[in-house]
Amino acid sequence: MNFKVFLFFAAFLCVLTFAKPSYAEKQVFAPNAEQGEWEIENTGVYDVDPHKDKNAVQEYHYSIGYGVNSFWHTELELEAETLPTDDAITKFQATHLEWENIFQLAPKGEYWVDPGIYLAYEAPLINKQVGQFEGKILLEKDFQKITNILNISFNQEVGEGADRHTDAGVSWSTRYRLSRYFEPGFEYWNDFSAIDHHLDYNQQSHQVGPCIYGHLFGSVNYDIGYLFGISDAAPRREIKWVLEYEF
Amino acid sequence: MFVRFLICLCLSVGLCLPALSFAQESNIIVIKNHKFSPSPLIIPANQKIQITVDNQDSTPEEFESFDLDREQVVEGNKKIIVFIGPLTPGTYNYWADYHQDSKGVIIAK
């Protein structure tokens, strides 16, 4: 346990040291690692907005992950997104290769809140893109059949042309564990932008909306949400999903 | 300032974690020939409970429960601790994920 507490602080300080939007992918992470479990995952978002530059923005992640032991889950991920071009026609292409890790810092239920750390590095695959380190503090708390998860995120771009400001954000998920196959809930997503340069509420991105979670066919987990932009910087509407096959 | 605040918050949470751990007593579930015993396991309601899952088989098993929101692997001839509760009085089902016909029940009274 002492090693895990040390790891928690070491990772947190690394995040602050290294530490744009603040999220590599639209998923609220639980601080859990399942030993010996493989997973193949598809995560995506699709934005709808009256402004052309924010409309039909798409981002997809394809990943394979493995539970190395009871406290470490690691994942290799390919990110693809639509990129703006000079003639205002978006171009869809693979942009980053990401290595992400979740460290479960205590057995679930041992403490009042379940803690974890997420550390990831995104390497750029195309010119004019930069790499970035991403760190999150993961906290989960169950109240009977209601599960609440909070992620506090920090991002720092690295490489030539990188923005030297550290960005931060918060994401929150609450779900009611109605059945194994259907858990209704909601999510809130916030991107503060640079933590040392305060922006007005409308310059920050704030989104909230209903989500459903659950299992299909025994080994497939789903997480689908419809988020409403509640600040000017956020897209007016966003569809987000996570499909995960475990084996 | 914000960074300092976060560091202080983090240190505070870290230092308080041991004090927030309030599991009370240990109960044992044995896995042998891919079956759970005892079942049902009776535990007190409204208390945090520590359950030792002792896998006496040579193969790994996964203790899984939607009711308890737990999913933990226990390797062959090894033990794990599962922290649950506080639970309202009632029946809580669990199963062996690698041998899904093997099921068990925990009753909180």
Side-chain angles (χ1 to χ4, degrees):
Chain A
M1 178 49 60
N2 288 338
F3 171 72
K4 289 183 182 175
V5 170
F6 169 77
L7 183 64
F8 178 75
F9 292 122
F12 182 71
L13 290 172
C14 281
V15 167
L16 291 178
T17 305
F18 291 122
K20 274 207 144 220
S22 301
Y23 313 102
E25 72 187 294
K26 211 84 173 191
Q27 184 177 3
V28 181
F29 291 95
N32 300 328
E34 288 168 27
Q35 184 178 354
E37 188 173 88
W38 286 91
E39 63 180 42
I40 296 172
E41 190 179 270
N42 168 239
T43 308
V45 296
Y46 186 94
D47 294 349
V48 179
D49 194 276
H51 296 95
K52 279 186 181 173
D53 61 333
K54 288 200 291 180
N55 189 40
V57 171
Q58 298 162 62
E59 189 176 305
Y60 301 94
H61 296 255
Y62 307 92
S63 64
I64 181 160
Y66 181 65
V68 178
N69 51 42
S70 61
F71 63 88
W72 178 27
H73 175 87
T74 189
E75 223 166 281
L76 196 61
E77 188 171 287
L78 182 70
E79 180 182 327
E81 58 186 303
T82 53
L83 296 171
T85 59
D86 294 340
D87 53 5
I89 297 171
T90 55
K91 186 178 168 189
F92 188 74
Q93 67 181 99
T95 58
H96 290 91
L97 191 62
E98 182 177 4
W99 180 37
E100 65 180 41
N101 298 279
I102 291 174
F103 298 98
Q104 179 176 341
L105 299 177
K108 196 172 167 68
E110 183 175 7
Y111 299 116
W112 185 81
V113 63
D114 302 317
I117 284 283
Y118 168 105
L119 291 173
Y121 175 69
E122 275 190 12
L125 295 177
I126 56 177
N127 290 334
K128 295 180 183 175
Q129 291 274 349
V130 295
Q132 64 178 10
F133 283 100
E134 183 178 19
K136 299 174 196 256
I137 297 168
L138 315 178
L139 301 169
E140 179 174 348
K141 176 64 185 169
D142 289 349
F143 292 102
Q144 300 299 336
K145 287 193 154 194
I146 297 173
T147 297
N148 304 285
I149 305 172
L150 171 68
N151 291 178
I152 304 169
S153 310
F154 302 92
N155 263 36
Q156 176 65 61
E157 290 184 354
V158 290
E160 194 177 336
D163 186 334
R164 295 298 166 193
H165 294 287
T166 302
D167 283 6
V170 164
S171 52
W172 175 280
S173 165
T174 289
R175 64 189 72 179
Y176 179 69
R177 294 187 302 107
L178 185 64
S179 86
R180 198 179 171 209
Y181 309 101
F182 182 71
E183 301 174 42
F186 71 91
E187 287 184 8
Y188 165 73
W189 287 82
N190 155 261
D191 183 358
F192 289 113
S193 195
I195 55 177
D196 56 349
H197 180 68
H198 178 71
L199 296 177
D200 292 337
Y201 174 83
N202 273 316
Q203 292 174 301
Q204 302 172 6
S205 173
H206 295 266
Q207 295 169 287
V208 66
C211 293
I212 53 173
Y213 314 86
H215 293 260
L216 295 171
F217 320 116
S219 301
V220 176
N221 298 323
Y222 69 88
D223 163 352
I224 301 169
Y226 191 79
L227 302 176
F228 298 88
I230 53 172
S231 67
D232 292 347
R236 184 74 60 88
R237 305 275 186 272
E238 185 171 80
I239 299 162
K240 53 145 283 194
W241 66 89
V242 179
L243 293 172
E244 180 183 281
Y245 174 65
E246 296 175 347
F247 57 101
Chain B
M1 181 60 78
F2 183 69
V3 171
R4 281 184 198 164
F5 166 75
L6 283 175
I7 291 173
C8 291
L9 177 69
C10 192
L11 287 169
S12 305
V13 170
L15 292 171
C16 291
L17 279 178
L20 293 170
S21 176
F22 49 91
Q24 295 296 311
E25 49 189 89
S26 189
N27 298 276
I28 297 175
I29 293 175
V30 171
I31 303 172
K32 195 167 178 59
N33 300 320
H34 311 301
K35 301 290 180 198
F36 293 108
S37 66
S39 183
L41 173 70
I42 312 292
I43 61 167
N46 304 313
Q47 276 187 36
K48 194 136 183 170
I49 298 293
Q50 186 173 311
I51 297 176
T52 301
V53 180
D54 180 2
N55 184 2
Q56 296 183 356
D57 291 333
S58 58
T59 54
E61 192 51 84
E62 186 169 53
F63 176 89
E64 183 161 355
S65 171
F66 177 78
D67 295 344
L68 299 166
D69 193 18
R70 293 292 180 270
E71 197 172 354
Q72 280 181 242
V73 172
V74 49
E75 292 192 52
N77 297 313
K78 294 271 173 71
K79 298 174 184 177
I80 58 164
I81 304 291
V82 179
F83 297 89
I84 62 171
L87 299 175
T88 53
T91 300
Y92 299 83
N93 298 302
Y94 62 89
W95 67 90
D97 197 37
Y98 300 159
H99 301 87
Q100 295 204 4
D101 54 335
S102 180
K103 296 177 169 58
V105 170
I106 293 171
I107 297 175
K109 282 188 177 175

